[in-house]
């Protein structure tokens, strides 16, 4: 398969996150693997910030050594943090230049045998999700064209991630609306049942249910469900001394 076709397939693969068992760890692993496949780097590490402060999801590809120290320090200093904060590529640069800016990070990179670093943001418009760290054992700097190619792959991953998140959020809203609608229908049914049984109007029936719920510290939906099922207000057991239900 031609390189151009493989690259196009990789972009589609990274944006296609609308699968039933989507997992962000799988996506960052795929991005790391595709970076090492299409550009001349020795290793790649992908780091995506989670919703919690200080928490990151990371994955590596092509690494011949343990990058635990490098990734730990990358959360505190270095090009990854720079790309994440600015939304722009940092580098490529040799370790001499990196050591002046981030001495601890550069020392950790040197210990595991790499001589050059670069990072690109995982960004969609103004939202930055994380960054890709590129490591080379060779001293000669990466061409700008390869940095742009990694940026293309990172942007594809960002599109997929944001799209999946928005669809998941829309599904949650729909579920919440359906639950609220079901609850409203249940209350209306209970109002009608009580109004008929007690020979009163629906507004008085609702006030009766609401007062009953408040006195017994229960949700009105619980009272309404009982009315629909039993055709009467529930007879809740008396609370034990010292025991109360949270509102």
């Amino acid at each position: 398969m031609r390189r151009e076709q493989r690259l196009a397939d990789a972009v589609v693969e990274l944006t296609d996150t609308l699968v039933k068992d989507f997992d962000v760890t799988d996506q960052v692993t795929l991005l790391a693997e595709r970076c090492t496949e299409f550009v001349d780097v020795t290793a790649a590490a992908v780091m995506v910030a989670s919703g919690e402060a200080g928490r990151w999801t990371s994955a590596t590809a092509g690494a011949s050594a343990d990058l635990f120290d490098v990734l730990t320090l990358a959360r505190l200093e270095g090009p990854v943090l720079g790309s994440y904060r600015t939304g722009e590529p940092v580098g490529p640069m040799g370790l001499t230049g990196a050591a002046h800016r981030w001495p601890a990070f550069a020392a950790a990179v040197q210990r595991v045998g790499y001589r050059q670093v670069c990072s690109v943001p995982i960004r969609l418009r103004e939202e930055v999700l994380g960054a890709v760290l590129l490591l080379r054992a060779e001293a000669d700097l990466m061409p700008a064209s390869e940095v742009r190619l990694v940026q293309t792959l990172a942007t594809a991953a960002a599109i997929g991630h944001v799209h999946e998140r928005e669809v998941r959020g829309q599904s949650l809203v729909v579920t919440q609306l359906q639950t609220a609608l079901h609850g409203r229908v249940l209350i209306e049914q209970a109002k009608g049942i009580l109004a008929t049984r007690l020979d009163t109007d629906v507004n008085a029936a609702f006030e009766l249910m609401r007062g009953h719920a408040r006195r017994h510290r229960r949700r009105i939906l619980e009272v309404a469900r009982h009315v629909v099922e039993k055709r009467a207000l529930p007879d809740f057991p008396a609370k034990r001394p010292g025991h109360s239900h949270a509102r």
Side-chain angles (χ1 to χ4, degrees), residues 121-192:
I122 302 173
R123 182 187 69 188
L124 180 60
R125 301 183 185 91
E126 301 304 315
E127 183 175 4
V128 184
L129 306 175
V132 181
L133 174 65
L134 304 170
L135 302 168
R136 291 188 76 182
E138 298 79 16
D140 53 311
L141 297 181
M142 287 178 60
S145 59
E146 294 200 346
V147 177
R148 288 195 297 271
L149 194 155
V150 173
Q151 184 65 77
T152 298
L153 295 172
T155 301
I159 291 170
H161 184 87
V162 170
H163 190 201
E164 187 276 337
R165 185 185 64 196
E166 290 179 350
V167 169
R168 186 174 67 244
Q170 290 169 0
S171 298
L172 178 61
V173 169
V174 169
T175 300
Q176 290 172 337
L177 288 174
Q178 289 174 337
T179 300
L181 179 60
H182 175 72
R184 189 69 255 171
V185 169
L186 192 66
I187 290 172
E188 292 300 320
Q189 288 177 330
K191 284 163 59 176

Side-chain angles (χ1 to χ4, degrees), residues 34-237:
R34 294 299 174 262
C35 288
T36 57
E37 177 182 351
F38 288 106
V39 299
D40 186 18
V41 294
T42 312
V46 177
M47 301 180 65
V48 174
S50 74
E52 302 176 36
R55 302 274 299 182
W56 296 73
T57 298
S58 60
T60 62
S64 58
D66 186 359
L67 294 181
F68 178 79
D69 289 343
V70 173
L71 298 184
T72 299
L73 286 166
R75 295 168 170 82
L76 305 174
E77 64 173 48
V80 165
L81 203 57
S83 287
Y84 179 63
R85 287 174 173 171
T86 66
E88 299 293 336
V90 176
M93 66 178 68
L95 289 189
T96 300
H100 288 300
R101 299 174 64 177
W102 319 293
F105 173 79
V109 171
Q110 187 173 36
R111 281 196 298 271
V112 289
Y114 300 106
R115 302 174 65 187
Q116 180 189 158
V117 296
C118 179
S119 69
V120 299
I122 302 173
R123 182 187 69 188
L124 180 60
R125 301 183 185 91
E126 301 304 315
E127 183 175 4
V128 184
L129 306 175
V132 181
L133 174 65
L134 304 170
L135 302 168
R136 291 188 76 182
E138 298 79 16
D140 53 311
L141 297 181
M142 287 178 60
S145 59
E146 294 200 346
V147 177
R148 288 195 297 271
L149 194 155
V150 173
Q151 184 65 77
T152 298
L153 295 172
T155 301
I159 291 170
H161 184 87
V162 170
H163 190 201
E164 187 276 337
R165 185 185 64 196
E166 290 179 350
V167 169
R168 186 174 67 244
Q170 290 169 0
S171 298
L172 178 61
V173 169
V174 169
T175 300
Q176 290 172 337
L177 288 174
Q178 289 174 337
T179 300
L181 179 60
H182 175 72
R184 189 69 255 171
V185 169
L186 192 66
I187 290 172
E188 292 300 320
Q189 288 177 330
K191 284 163 59 176
I193 290 168
L194 272 186
T196 300
R197 184 176 178 83
L198 301 177
D199 192 23
T200 185
D201 60 56
V202 291
N203 291 331
F206 178 72
E207 290 301 324
L208 185 63
M209 284 196 302
R210 184 164 65 176
H212 190 84
R214 286 177 175 174
R215 286 193 301 275
H216 293 277
R217 304 260 182 110
R218 305 285 179 152
R219 296 173 65 238
I220 193 168
L221 277 178
E222 186 180 355
V223 174
R225 185 175 292 107
H226 185 96
V227 169
V228 170
E229 293 174 354
K230 306 296 184 181
R231 297 301 194 265
L233 287 171
D235 183 16
F236 292 121

